[in-house]
Each structure stands twice: as C-alpha cells, then as structure tokens.
Amino acid sequence: MRDQELQRILRHMPAGIATLLGPELRYGFVNEAMQALLGGNTPEGQPLTDVSLPADLREVMQKVYDSGSPFVAKAYGLPLLGSNGEEPTPRYFDIALEPLQDDEDQVHGLLLFAVDVTGQEEARQRAHELALETRRLDARLRVLTETAPQITFTVDAAGNYEYVSPQWYYFTGQPPTADLDAIWPLLVHPEDRLRVLYQMEAARKAGIGWSHEYRLRRHDGQYRWLLSRAVPELHAPDQAAYWHGAVTEVHDQRELADALRRGEAELRFLADSIPQLIWTATAEGFIDYYNQHTAEYTGSSADELGPTGWVSLIHPSEQSSAARRWVQCVASGESFDGLFQMRRHDGQYRWHIIRARQLTDARGLRWFGACTDVDDQHRLREVLQHQYDELARTNRDLDTFVYTASHDLKQPLFNLRGLFDELRRTATFDDEEHEVLLRMVDGALGQLDVTLHDLAATVQEQRQLTAPTEAIDLRSVAEEVLLGLRVLVEDAEATVNLDFKAAPTLIYGRANLRSVLHNLLSNALKYACPERPPCITIASGMTEAGKPWLKVQDNGLGMEVNKDANPIFQLFDRQHPHIGGTGVGLYLIQRIVTSRGGHLEVASTVGEGTTFTVYWFG
C-alpha cells in the first residue's frame, strides 16, 4: 500500500524520474514527466537502445552502470520535438544518474532523475551575452573617449575622480601615477580656482549638472581656457551617484570673442567720433543703433528716434518716397542711395547723402548706413552750375557775335574790293610807286578776307567739338581731304604717301578728323621748301598702351620749337610771315585734339621739315 502511494506521488512529480534495470538498461518505472521527455509512451522493459536519446548520454549511462559511480550533469541540452512535428527545440535539464544496488551491493540498474532548467539556462545565456555586449560597448566607449580631442571624466558624489581620459595627462603633463584629486585644483588658475570648486560642489549637492569655463595650466606652463560640462547619473530614488562630463579647450574661441568685443567697442567709439549720422538696422529694416553724433545733430535721443524715426527727419515732401525706397531695398537686398533734406536740431533742413548697405555674416543679416551732410557742397554746386551756365551762355553769345561779325564784315570787304577795282580801272596815278601801293592794297584786302574766313571757321569748329563719334576709315577721309587740296598738290608737284595699315580706323568725330587732316596737309603744302618738291607722309599706329596716333611728316621749311611753351599753337601766331596765313590752323587743331582728351606733339628742324604727331586720346 505504501509503495503504491509512493509510485503515485512520483508519477505526478514535475521532475522526470525513471529506473533503468539490467545491463541492457531496460526501462522500469517511468513517470509522466519522463515520458514527455522521452517523446511519448515508453513501455516497461523496453531497452534504452530503442529510445532516441543522444549517443553521448547513452554512453555516460552505460559507464555509470559499469562503474557504479553516480554522475550529475548541469544544464544538459536535449533537442525535443514540438507537439505538432515542429523543428526540435533545445531544452536544458539537470540530470542525475544514481546506481541501484541489490542487497549484495551489486549494481542492477540506474535511477535517472531529470529536472527541466530551460528557463534558468536561457536566462544565464542571455546574461552572459549581455555581459559580453556590455564589455564590447565599454571597450568601444573607452576607445572613443580616449581618441576624441577632449578630456572625459567621471566624478563621484564626494567629488573624487573615478576616471579621467589620457588626454588630461597629455594636456597637463602629469604622470599617470599622480593623485588626480590632489593635483587637479592646483593646476587651475588661482583667479578661477575658488569659483570652480564652489560651482562643482554646489552642483553635486543639488544633484544637477554644471557648465563653466576656467583656465588650466598646460604642460608648457601656459594657462588655457577650458569649458567643463557634466551631467549626473541618477540612482533611485533620484539621487546622483556620479557625474560624467567632458572638458573642451576653448582658448582660441575665447580670445576671438574678446577680440570681437574689443573691436566692437572700438568701432562704436569710431562711429561716435565721426561727424556723420551712423546707424545700423536689423534684417527687417528697423534701426537698432544710432551713433552719438546723431543725437547731437538731431537733438533727439536714440529712444526718441526709435526704429523708424529717421523718416520723420526728412523733409515732408520727400518722406513718402524715401520710405518706399527703403522698404524696397530691405525686401530686395539692394543698396540704398539717395539725396534728401534732413532736419537739424535748429529746424533747418540740410541736404544729406543717405547710403545703406546690407551685410551678411555669422551673426546674421544687418544693415549699415550713414547720412552725410553735403548741404554746403550742394549749394556750392548750384552756384557753380549757375556760373557755368552763365559762362556757357556768354561763350555762345561771343561765338555768335564773332561768327556774325565775320560774315557781316565780308560785305563791306566785297564793296571795298569792288571800289578798288573800279578805281584801278578808271583812275590814273602820276606816282612812280603806284603799282607797289596797288599791290599792297590788294594784299591787305586779301589778308582781311582770309582773317574773316578763319574767324568764321574757328567758331564753326568750336561748335563741332561735341559732334558724335563713329568708326571712321582713315584712308577714305584722307583721300577726301586730298581731293579738296588737289590744285595745291598739283601746283606744288607734291608727293603724298598714306600708310594706315597699323591702325586703319579711328573712333572719332568725322568733322573734327577732317578739319585736323585738312589743316595739317594744307600747312605742309603752304610751307614747302622752294628748293625741292614737297614730300608728305601720313601714317597711323598704336602706342604700347593701345592708344591710336596719327603722324604727318613733311620736308618743308621747318620751324623753331620751344619745348617750354607752345607759341605755335597760339591764336594768330606765325613763324613765316612772308607766307600768307593767319595763324589759326594749328590753334584749331590743338583745340579739337585736347577737347577729346588727346594732345599734339611737334618735332621740327629749320630747313629740313616738320613732324606733327596727334595722340587722339590720353
């Protein structure tokens, strides 16, 4: 009865229990848990070889039976089939093999005891994998912290350093064996030491992080600015146990910021010293700074002017246009330029040039502007413009008078010549030198005619100085001028050579160019040497600077050239009075050339010839 009760208890135990009898290890008693472990119904008397157990387990069972020594295996893995024929899943068991002995201490079987420890084993394996991953992440984190260009550290709640990266030792030059807690405060700059110690202790007591800058002595003895930041590691119940942080060198940034602050102060001092209205504005166009001179000039403070008060300083007739223009510039980013009347502190409106430019940098978009008082210059310009207009009008009136007088005097000249011709034809003279007197009168009348003609030509050329420019072919203009001088050329049996290969065209006023060529060629023919036929060469070219020139060379009488002055270019000045002329031609050439920014050079040898070089532009 007791054995049956024991078997009933053992049969329903959660652990697998079985007896293996005889050398063949035939199954004797097998409870339900072991039946499930063996994969189904295992009848009594069935040998172990007929059951699908791992070979190594069967081998160990046989050795335990043969040796009579018990054996225990922890977390032995058995692949068990699923209930629906699924793939085998590993299960883990603690297995105990105990030899069964008879009364004579002979082994006649084995007691197999198996406890399912799959949950514990999987948990242990996961814990092992997590430990491996933790060690891997810790190694990676250590590599990152020790290769980053920062000093990383860990401090406990008492302020003692648990860890510091090797960068600290590289920076300070301290040996790895140094007592960090004792050495670190001594390396902090004396002016920063007390402040830093207090801030760290206050943060630890409050359980919060910190962020502060201080100077730390480097290995070379130089103090460098560092930024120290740390965050707490909280343990339950919300108590900080450690502080993890990093120290970054910010010395260069600190010095740059100090330099920027000093530069900004110097710029403000400079702006306040300038006798102009200097201001800055935001990206939206609102004024956020006025210099000191603005308050002195307008009689209003920066607060009174406000972000848009400058508009009220402009003359009422110009306020709307100035405001619209400013809004357009702010929207488009274009520069603001304008001339406006602005009210001074005494109520007087004075002309100002208002200019503003947009600047974009690391600090964002801003506007910088200035208002410059140009009232005196503006009024002076108006006076000068008025005087210029008066002079121009007087000059035009004078030109008109000269031109009209020269034409009006021609008619009396014609009358005198007609009377003189009639007198010569009808009157008789007893004077022996009457022929000489008649020739002198003819010469005087001819000279007067040429003078009046040249005066009219001078005024005409003066009016053509502003003629429009065009691309002109030099050869065609030269041939046109020679055609007009054909009689003089043939009478003098002159040779004229044209060479315009180097610079065949010229952008100039056609009438001006024709006048220059006509005067130079007519002079070359007029002042030819009587002992030889005239030979004239006209050539063009370019200077090293790329400016065009024209050269007219002859073999005529030549002239005396004074390098200190140019009397040959003065009106009515002549060097060969025995040859008819008025001294107007070279004066006209000089006026035409200089009016367009050029100049005229002359080289001459008396008795050999003259060379005129026209540099059309400066």
Side-chain angles (χ1 to χ4, degrees):
M1 183 69 182
R2 184 177 300 174
D3 292 341
Q4 292 178 354
E5 182 67 18
L6 179 61
Q7 287 186 7
R8 186 178 66 81
I9 294 173
L10 293 178
R11 188 175 301 279
H12 296 289
M13 284 187 67
I17 301 174
T19 57
L20 303 173
L21 305 175
E24 297 84 5
L25 298 178
R26 297 179 179 276
Y27 284 103
F29 172 78
V30 180
N31 71 348
E32 295 176 358
M34 183 62 74
Q35 289 285 357
L37 175 65
L38 296 176
N41 184 22
T42 303
E44 295 183 4
Q46 184 177 356
L48 184 64
T49 56
D50 295 341
V51 182
S52 59
L53 289 177
D56 59 340
L57 180 60
R58 293 198 301 270
E59 183 179 354
V60 169
M61 289 179 176
Q62 189 65 50
K63 288 183 177 180
V64 170
Y65 179 86
D66 295 341
S67 65
S69 299
F71 176 76
V72 177
K74 295 290 185 180
Y76 179 74
L78 284 175
L80 300 180
L81 292 174
S83 58
N84 298 324
E86 299 165 344
E87 291 293 328
T89 57
R91 304 286 293 178
Y92 298 92
F93 298 88
D94 285 345
I95 296 177
L97 295 173
E98 186 72 27
L100 295 177
Q101 298 177 345
D102 54 14
D103 296 338
E104 297 178 357
D105 295 332
Q106 296 293 322
V107 177
H108 66 89
L110 294 177
L111 175 62
L112 175 62
F113 188 81
V115 179
D116 192 341
V117 294
T118 301
Q120 298 90 316
E121 179 62 18
E122 289 179 347
R124 186 191 67 79
Q125 290 182 4
R126 284 196 298 271
H128 177 68
E129 292 174 355
L130 289 175
L132 292 177
E133 181 66 16
T134 300
R135 285 196 294 270
R136 185 181 68 82
L137 293 177
D138 182 70
R140 178 183 294 181
L141 179 61
R142 184 175 294 273
V143 170
L144 291 176
T145 56
E146 294 183 358
T147 55
Q150 288 180 314
I151 300 172
T152 56
F153 61 89
T154 298
V155 178
D156 62 15
N160 299 318
Y161 281 89
E162 292 285 330
Y163 167 77
V164 66
S165 63
Q167 287 86 339
W168 189 88
Y169 299 100
Y170 301 151
F171 185 87
T172 61
Q174 299 296 318
T177 57
D179 186 351
L180 186 61
D181 296 323
I183 292 296
W184 172 79
L186 300 179
L187 299 179
V188 178
H189 195 283
E191 296 178 2
D192 303 332
R193 187 177 302 153
L194 185 61
R195 170 178 59 84
V196 171
L197 293 175
Y198 174 79
Q199 290 175 338
M200 293 182 63
E201 183 177 357
R204 291 196 307 273
K205 288 182 178 180
I208 60 175
W210 68 74
S211 177
H212 51 247
E213 295 181 3
Y214 64 92
R215 286 164 289 182
L216 189 69
R217 192 174 71 215
R218 201 168 58 181
H219 57 82
D220 57 0
Q222 181 183 359
Y223 283 97
R224 307 284 290 180
W225 281 99
L226 304 176
L227 172 62
S228 176
R229 288 179 176 173
V231 293
E233 177 186 334
L234 300 178
H235 290 184
D238 296 335
Q239 292 183 351
Y242 297 97
W243 277 260
H244 307 284
V247 178
T248 306
E249 184 175 351
V250 294
H251 190 84
D252 295 336
Q253 297 90 318
R254 180 76 177 239
E255 287 192 340
L256 179 59
D258 292 341
L260 289 175
R261 283 192 292 269
R262 290 194 301 269
E264 184 175 356
E266 292 173 356
L267 286 176
R268 286 187 177 270
F269 177 79
L270 179 62
D272 290 336
S273 304
I274 294 176
Q276 287 181 297
L277 282 67
I278 306 297
W279 49 271
T280 62
T282 63
E284 294 77 18
F286 297 112
I287 311 299
D288 57 4
Y289 166 75
Y290 296 96
N291 70 336
Q292 183 63 32
H293 182 71
T294 302
E296 297 172 355
Y297 187 88
T298 62
S300 303
S301 65
D303 294 335
E304 292 172 340
L305 290 173
T308 59
W310 65 276
V311 178
S312 62
L313 299 175
I314 296 177
H315 195 277
S317 63
E318 301 172 331
Q319 286 183 8
S320 59
S321 61
R324 284 195 302 270
R325 175 60 182 161
W326 175 242
V327 171
Q328 292 173 358
C329 291
V330 170
S332 63
E334 298 178 0
S335 300
F336 181 90
D337 287 279
L339 181 64
F340 302 97
Q341 298 180 78
M342 296 188 67
R343 187 180 68 249
R344 200 166 58 179
H345 59 83
D346 57 2
Q348 179 184 357
Y349 283 94
R350 296 177 62 83
W351 288 100
H352 284 73
I353 294 177
I354 303 180
R355 289 176 177 167
R357 300 290 185 271
Q358 190 184 79
L359 173 66
T360 303
D361 55 13
R363 298 173 59 184
L365 189 151
R366 292 165 295 158
W367 286 87
F368 291 82
C371 305
T372 306
D373 189 333
V374 294
D375 191 78
D376 296 337
Q377 298 91 318
H378 184 77
R379 299 185 187 279
L380 178 60
R381 188 183 300 110
E382 289 181 341
V383 173
L384 292 176
Q385 184 65 41
H386 178 72
Q387 293 178 350
Y388 173 79
D389 293 340
E390 288 292 333
L391 288 174
R393 184 167 53 255
T394 302
N395 191 38
R396 287 194 300 271
D397 293 342
L398 182 59
D399 287 346
T400 302
F401 170 75
V402 173
Y403 188 73
T404 303
S406 64
H407 281 73
D408 291 346
L409 289 174
K410 285 186 177 182
Q411 187 60 43
L413 178 62
F414 294 153
N415 294 337
L416 285 175
R417 183 173 293 280
L419 291 174
F420 180 71
D421 291 341
E422 183 64 23
L423 181 63
R424 174 187 290 175
R425 186 177 62 81
T426 60
T428 59
F429 301 93
D430 295 333
D431 193 337
E432 296 178 355
E433 297 181 357
H434 71 278
E435 290 295 335
V436 177
L437 292 174
L438 293 176
R439 284 196 301 271
M440 291 177 63
V441 173
D442 278 337
L445 291 175
Q447 184 67 30
L448 180 58
D449 184 34
V450 172
T451 301
L452 293 176
H453 179 272
D454 287 345
L455 283 174
T458 301
V459 175
Q460 186 66 24
E461 293 294 340
Q462 179 71 20
R463 293 176 177 176
Q464 293 179 352
L465 290 180
T466 58
T469 60
E470 58 180 303
I472 305 172
D473 182 73
L474 290 176
R475 179 175 291 276
S476 65
V477 176
E479 291 176 348
E480 179 183 343
V481 172
L482 287 173
L483 183 61
L485 299 173
R486 182 179 58 182
V487 176
L488 293 177
V489 173
E490 292 177 352
D491 291 345
E493 299 180 355
T495 301
V496 181
N497 300 313
L498 304 179
D499 182 9
F500 300 117
K501 294 180 181 179
T505 60
L506 175 68
I507 300 177
Y508 215 69
R510 180 176 292 274
N512 297 153
L513 177 59
R514 188 186 300 112
S515 179
V516 170
L517 285 173
H518 181 274
N519 280 284
L520 290 177
L521 285 172
S522 61
N523 281 349
L525 294 169
K526 183 187 300 183
Y527 299 106
C529 181
E531 299 177 357
R532 55 182 177 268
C535 181
I536 305 171
T537 300
I538 307 175
S540 64
M542 304 291 287
T543 65
E544 294 182 356
K547 303 293 184 179
W549 53 261
L550 178 73
K551 184 178 295 184
V552 178
Q553 184 177 9
D554 64 56
N555 62 342
L557 295 174
M559 64 179 73
E560 294 182 358
V561 179
N562 186 354
K563 295 183 179 179
D564 298 330
N566 288 321
I568 59 175
F569 299 134
Q570 300 300 321
L571 188 61
F572 304 128
D573 183 81
R574 303 177 67 236
Q575 289 203 12
H576 301 285
H578 65 280
I579 299 176
T582 59
V584 175
L586 292 181
Y587 170 76
L588 284 176
I589 296 174
Q590 177 77 345
R591 288 294 303 274
I592 292 172
V593 174
T594 56
S595 69
R596 296 188 180 274
H599 67 280
L600 181 64
E601 293 182 358
V602 58
S604 182
T605 303
V606 177
E608 295 183 7
T610 304
T611 300
F612 288 94
T613 304
V614 180
Y615 295 94
W616 299 108
F617 308 105

